[in-house]
Amino acid sequence: MTTVTTPGLERFRGLVSDALLSEIYDLARPLRGVHVLHINTTAQGGGVAALLRVLLPLARELGIPHTWRVVQLDEFAATFMARLTDMLQGGEPGLITPQDQRQFLDSLRSAMQPLVDERADLYYVHDIQLAPLGQLFPYMRPALWFNHIDTARPDPAALQYISQFLDAYALCTFNTPFSVFPQLPAGRTAVITLGIDPFSERHAPLSETEGVVLLAGSGIDPTRPLITQVSRFGRWKNPWQVLEIYRLVKQRHPEVQVALVGALEASDDIRAQAILADLQQRAGDDPDIHLLWDPAQLTAPVVNAFQRFSQVILQRSSREGFGLTVTEAMWKYQPVVGTSATGVRYQITHGYDGFLADDAESAASYTLRLLEERELWRQMGEAAHRSVQERFLLPMMLRDYLAALLRVRQ
Ligand code: UDP
């Protein structure tokens, strides 16, 4: 049988194996013409939007029609969900009252109003925020659900609460094996490897000359070392520890600068403003602490420049389902100083393509090593790039994604 190739996927020939590309074309064939509707809560900002932006065009090119709709949560639902996320992700105890549950489902019903006439052959619902949709709207069949947060150690009450909605889904998908809910039957779970698109503007090659201009435009002195964390201003991203590490490193290298890069636009993270204000207060009048949040300034090339041309990249998440920012920096030849958070330890091999350390002192000593031993930094950066090429590029995600659709379709 002749295989119809697509330009989007053919860009990866040579970067991933021919066998993987053939597998993708084979998986896509029986799905041609099957309309898939994705529903999530953010069009901009955050990893889910980043994934859908690169996955959907490739799937469409393969002949599988895709639609993406965004549901706007009201303030009550967003706050309720932030609390549930803390319970599920942080293992924090909490109370989910019947009154809150009722109000949350009412909020979801009204938020879905603009979408209720949308029909598709398969429905893909993202995040715990929207988990009840399958049950609330029985026309959504067959449906898949994607959990993006770190649920390796959930609070049992929160897990029980969210699990009651999952019977509506033919398949529940997770971004690492560690986050899979153990009570779900294996036949109804799948892991989808997350991958980045190295050809997108966000990750395109950038010369050092261009990078330096972009960094200088963001207030950075390119002649002095810079340590950076690229992440939303979210509690579980632990930006406070980035400042601690910076202060420890500065004791030995007074010329060091630090940047926290997090465009404030993920409309589902309602606490980011408060975290930013707290960090601004802690930063005081230190001109070497750069807190960057303006989405108009943080264009794709600017974020790319921070990831490529910082001397050291940190990812201090205390919880992480899968940190796309880790993969992105590794692709850009950066050995990341990460933590043992679920996704991060799945992505980094300690001592080979990055470092894992949870406390500020150990992380500061790894940061110092990478700052001072640039040959080690270079070699580990090469290894980081290779690791992403082997494990976390877009075609790997596309293969797992198509396989998940097929399991539900057959
Ligand atoms: N990101 C961005 N601008 C920023 C900060 C983050 O474009 O100022 C992107 C980042 O490059 C990554 C995504 O937002 O693609 C964040 O995904 P991740 O999985 O790291 O974290 P999440 O926000 O989903 O928890």
Side-chain angles (χ1 to χ4, degrees), residues 133-286:
L133 292 189
Q135 196 180 85
L136 291 179
F137 300 96
Y139 70 82
M140 290 192 185
R141 294 289 185 280
L144 300 92
W145 177 67
F146 207 141
N147 173 49
H148 293 276
I149 63 169
D150 178 353
T151 47
R153 284 168 294 170
D155 166 69
L159 183 60
Q160 198 181 6
Y161 172 70
I162 213 73
S163 297
Q164 67 177 308
F165 300 112
L166 301 183
D167 286 348
Y169 296 97
L171 196 65
C172 297
T173 58
F174 298 82
N175 50 22
T176 69
F178 306 119
S179 280
V180 176
F181 293 169
Q183 83 282 8
L184 287 171
R188 286 188 42 236
T189 67
V191 172
I192 295 187
T193 308
L194 302 192
I196 59 164
D197 181 357
F199 302 107
S200 69
E201 192 194 8
R202 303 147 66 81
H203 311 313
L206 191 67
S207 73
E208 191 161 356
T209 320
E210 287 170 282
V212 159
V213 169
L214 292 169
L215 289 183
S218 299
I220 305 298
D221 175 355
T223 65
R224 291 192 282 136
L226 171 66
I227 57 184
T228 294
Q229 172 163 299
V230 175
S231 271
R232 285 180 293 113
F233 289 101
R235 169 182 176 196
W236 302 109
K237 303 293 183 186
N238 201 0
W240 299 279
Q241 206 198 51
V242 176
L243 294 189
E244 265 183 76
I245 293 167
Y246 154 76
R247 289 194 167 116
L248 289 168
V249 171
K250 205 168 178 72
Q251 289 170 9
R252 207 148 94 198
H253 292 279
E255 74 285 11
V256 77
Q257 313 163 86
V258 66
L260 282 161
V261 177
L264 263 188
E265 60 190 346
S267 47
D268 59 353
D269 193 350
I270 52 172
R271 295 171 298 183
Q273 298 270 7
I275 291 174
L276 178 61
D278 180 59
L279 292 166
Q280 280 163 335
Q281 202 198 351
R282 283 165 200 261
D285 54 9
D286 185 338

Side-chain angles (χ1 to χ4, degrees), residues 55-71:
L55 183 66
L56 270 47
L58 273 194
R60 286 188 192 113
E61 255 194 34
L62 289 163
I64 311 166
H66 274 70
T67 316
W68 172 11
R69 293 283 179 260
V70 175
V71 171

Side-chain angles (χ1 to χ4, degrees), residues 241-357:
Q241 206 198 51
V242 176
L243 294 189
E244 265 183 76
I245 293 167
Y246 154 76
R247 289 194 167 116
L248 289 168
V249 171
K250 205 168 178 72
Q251 289 170 9
R252 207 148 94 198
H253 292 279
E255 74 285 11
V256 77
Q257 313 163 86
V258 66
L260 282 161
V261 177
L264 263 188
E265 60 190 346
S267 47
D268 59 353
D269 193 350
I270 52 172
R271 295 171 298 183
Q273 298 270 7
I275 291 174
L276 178 61
D278 180 59
L279 292 166
Q280 280 163 335
Q281 202 198 351
R282 283 165 200 261
D285 54 9
D286 185 338
D288 290 336
I289 300 180
H290 299 268
L291 303 174
L292 302 172
W293 54 269
D294 180 3
Q297 185 201 346
L298 295 175
T299 58
V302 169
V303 177
N304 192 359
F306 273 98
Q307 288 177 322
R308 273 183 201 278
F309 299 111
S310 293
Q311 273 59 41
V312 180
I313 294 284
L314 306 179
Q315 188 65 48
R316 307 309 307 152
S317 309
S318 54
R319 296 289 189 279
E320 192 68 73
F322 184 100
L324 276 179
T325 51
V326 172
T327 297
E328 292 167 359
M330 288 173 72
W331 176 251
K332 296 167 192 180
Y333 300 91
Q334 295 278 6
V336 175
V337 182
T339 61
S340 65
T342 305
V344 182
R345 80 181 134 92
Y346 183 69
Q347 295 169 265
I348 295 174
T349 304
H350 178 67
Y352 171 68
D353 56 15
F355 289 113
L356 301 179

